[in-house]
Amino acid sequence: MPVVIDKDLCIECEECVNICPFGSLELGPSGLECSDTCTLCGICLDVCPSEALTLPDVPEEEIDLKDYKDVWIYGEQKRGSLHPVVLELIGVGRELARKRNCRLGVVSIGNRLDQVLATLKHYDVDDIFLIQHQQLKDYNSEIYANLLTDLIREKKPEIILSGATLRGRSLIPRVAVKVRTGLTADCTELDVDENTGNLLQTRPAFGGNIMATIECPNRRPQMATVRPRVMKTASPLPSPHKNQVVQNIDPLLSSLRSETEILDTVDSLKETEDLTEAGIIVAGGRGVGAPKGFRLLERFAKVIGGVIGASRAAVDAGWVPYSRQVGQTGRTVHPDIYFACGISGAVQHLVGMQSSKIIVAINKDKDAPIFNYADYGIVADMFEVIPELIKYAERRVKR
Ligand SMILES: Cc1cc2nc3c(=O)[nH]c(=O)nc-3n(C[C@H](O)[C@H](O)[C@H](O)COP(=O)(O)OP(=O)(O)OC[C@H]3O[C@@H](n4cnc5c(N)ncnc54)[C@H](O)[C@@H]3O)c2cc1C
Ligand code: SF4
Ligand code: SF4
């Protein structure tokens, strides 16, 4: 159902034609027309000077909440290995399933999932749904979203949890739109109302100043993502699960079609993942001065088991690749410890790292804004401090 055009109001300025990201609008001999490729995104409405465009009334689909049961976890895997966040979600998912007196399932999509299955055998999961096909070797958000949507429509789970990983963030919103339900991203706490089944999804809001608990009372399934390392990893069972039900799901051929062809997977993607999921980040800014300053930070990161991050100033200077940039136009990170070395603390940098559990700032300028956000501040030249920290860390490692 496309956007509605009031041809009496339209002055044929073509503003909407130029802005539509889907090329759905065209000005022809009989005026403006909109094709079925329109996704009702609403962008064109904002640019129309004569308010000639409106979204059609889409009747709200009635659903019976009682048709939906069970808790599912999206079993993200890469090259056959489960992402650690899945084991974290199994812990919280099991608790939700216990409260709702329902089953806990994991859905995994890929090519060869034997290793995924072998891992899940050791965890308290009731149902395992495996969607395997050679075409699913590489992650493709379009196809994976089609397949997960097909399964949700068939089995009707009440709750779906996924890691807020790079892939989770790309997949789960697509699925939520397809099944027309709500999604709460980056939850830090999950609980369930045992009577209504409403998922209580708690996450920081307004820049982390308040914690909001969000419910999705009228739609099912309820979908939430959780960042890696927020929840406790589930403990493995003392012996392999004996009653797990494993279902191999044949993908619909129509759902395997995609507009995207994966030609290659580039290494920098892995670097980015490392950054967003790292427990310790050693980030450098303009104060690092040169690429060789980053070699020093790399040594420090290596000895404490961290990875390198950077401010935009350091990236723009060409000292580190963009995949390392933290901030508004880079990555949002949430490590246990964030070392900000020679970084002033501009707001665009802060938005990407201020939810780190511990922030350690090293800066020559005692008035640098970063100190307002740091748990530990060292007013000093980083080239004096970092070598001392390396020596200290090396001594601790040797002990
Ligand atoms: C639309 C927009 C988006 C942006 N997105 C991002 C983003 O995603 N990420 C980002 O980081 N920035 C972003 N920026 C840029 C941001 O505004 C800042 O310019 C940038 O973060 C500054 O980087 P910096 O702190 O490394 O450099 P500076 O602000 O120049 O700070 C360098 C700091 O190093 C200290 N210093 C110097 N030498 C030493 C030394 N030897 N030892 C210790 N300290 C030392 C100085 O005292 C200073 O505080 C964005 C800007 C805009 C307009
Ligand atoms: S609603 Fe979105 S997709 Fe539809 S015509 Fe307008 S801009 Fe294009
Ligand atoms: S922006 Fe409005 S007035 Fe201009 S062509 Fe589109 S519908 Fe007509």
Side-chain angles (χ1 to χ4, degrees), residues 35-86:
S35 73
D36 284 343
T37 55
C38 170
T39 63
L40 300 180
C41 70
I43 292 174
C44 56
L45 272 63
D46 294 334
V47 298
C48 176
S50 52
E51 297 184 359
L53 299 167
T54 46
L55 294 178
D57 284 334
V58 181
E60 190 59 52
E61 178 201 352
E62 287 277 322
I63 65 158
D64 189 347
L65 303 187
K66 290 196 293 300
D67 289 346
Y68 292 76
K69 63 175 171 42
D70 296 341
V71 177
W72 279 9
I73 289 157
Y74 171 58
E76 179 176 339
Q77 58 82 30
K78 197 166 183 184
R79 297 187 193 102
S81 291
L82 267 186
H83 193 291
V85 75
V86 178

Side-chain angles (χ1 to χ4, degrees), residues 109-326:
I109 305 174
N111 184 18
R112 289 160 175 259
L113 299 175
D114 316 9
Q115 211 182 315
V116 167
L117 187 58
T119 306
L120 290 175
K121 278 259 165 246
H122 296 276
Y123 288 87
D124 192 5
V125 173
D126 304 307
D127 297 303
I128 300 174
F129 303 95
L130 301 177
I131 308 178
Q132 302 185 76
H133 193 278
Q134 60 186 27
Q135 222 176 303
L136 302 173
K137 183 164 75 66
D138 293 312
Y139 172 75
N140 175 317
S141 46
E142 205 182 340
I143 295 178
Y144 274 47
N146 289 341
L147 297 172
L148 189 51
T149 304
D150 292 343
L151 196 62
I152 291 169
R153 287 194 177 129
E154 185 194 331
K155 308 274 184 194
K156 296 189 170 32
E158 185 175 51
I159 293 170
I160 300 180
L161 310 179
S162 164
T165 57
L166 279 182
R167 289 186 182 186
R169 283 165 198 259
S170 119
L171 173 69
I172 295 300
R174 286 180 160 85
V175 176
V177 169
K178 279 171 176 284
V179 296
R180 303 193 59 205
T181 191
L183 163 67
T184 307
D186 296 342
C187 296
T188 52
E189 212 181 304
L190 291 168
D191 201 351
V192 68
D193 182 319
E194 292 175 39
N195 299 318
T196 61
N198 286 346
L199 186 63
L200 309 174
Q201 307 159 94
T202 304
R203 56 151 298 155
F206 295 105
N209 291 320
I210 60 162
M211 296 302 281
T213 297
I214 296 161
E215 292 183 40
C216 174
N218 302 322
R219 304 293 306 173
R220 293 292 184 267
Q222 304 163 89
M223 299 182 71
T225 64
V226 179
R227 290 178 178 185
R229 294 178 306 98
V230 168
M231 303 289 177
K232 223 171 132 228
T233 303
S235 304
L237 298 167
S239 57
H241 203 303
K242 293 213 170 51
N243 305 316
Q244 246 169 14
V245 179
V246 180
Q247 298 188 46
N248 280 296
I249 310 290
D250 287 330
L252 291 175
L253 287 183
S254 56
S255 297
L256 290 171
R257 285 195 205 111
S258 167
E259 297 295 317
T260 316
E261 187 187 351
I262 311 286
L263 300 178
D264 200 1
T265 308
V266 290
D267 282 346
S268 62
L269 203 60
K270 185 174 177 301
E271 283 183 19
T272 315
E273 260 181 13
D274 286 346
L275 187 63
T276 52
E277 293 164 22
I280 302 176
I281 294 178
V282 178
R286 204 192 310 271
V288 174
K292 81 168 192 275
F294 270 94
R295 301 295 88 78
L296 180 68
L297 295 187
E298 276 164 15
R299 270 183 56 211
F300 179 45
K302 194 168 173 208
V303 73
I304 59 171
V307 299
I308 288 290
S311 73
R312 178 157 143 183
V315 171
D316 286 351
W319 303 337
V320 269
Y322 167 70
S323 58
R324 296 281 138 197
Q325 184 176 317
V326 173

Side-chain angles (χ1 to χ4, degrees), residues 67 118 326 362 375 397:
D67 289 346
V326 173
I362 306 168
D375 299 281
V397 170

Side-chain angles (χ1 to χ4, degrees), residues 284-289 310-314 316 319 322 325-331 338 341-352 362-366 368-370 378 380-384:
R286 204 192 310 271
V288 174
S311 73
R312 178 157 143 183
D316 286 351
W319 303 337
Y322 167 70
Q325 184 176 317
V326 173
Q328 185 183 322
T329 43
R331 301 289 148 193
Y338 188 89
C341 311
I343 292 177
S344 60
V347 65
Q348 295 89 351
H349 186 78
L350 292 169
V351 292
I362 306 168
N363 198 303
K364 282 201 298 198
D365 175 6
K366 69 174 176 33
I370 190 79
I378 305 173
D381 186 331
M382 58 161 272
F383 292 101
E384 290 171 11

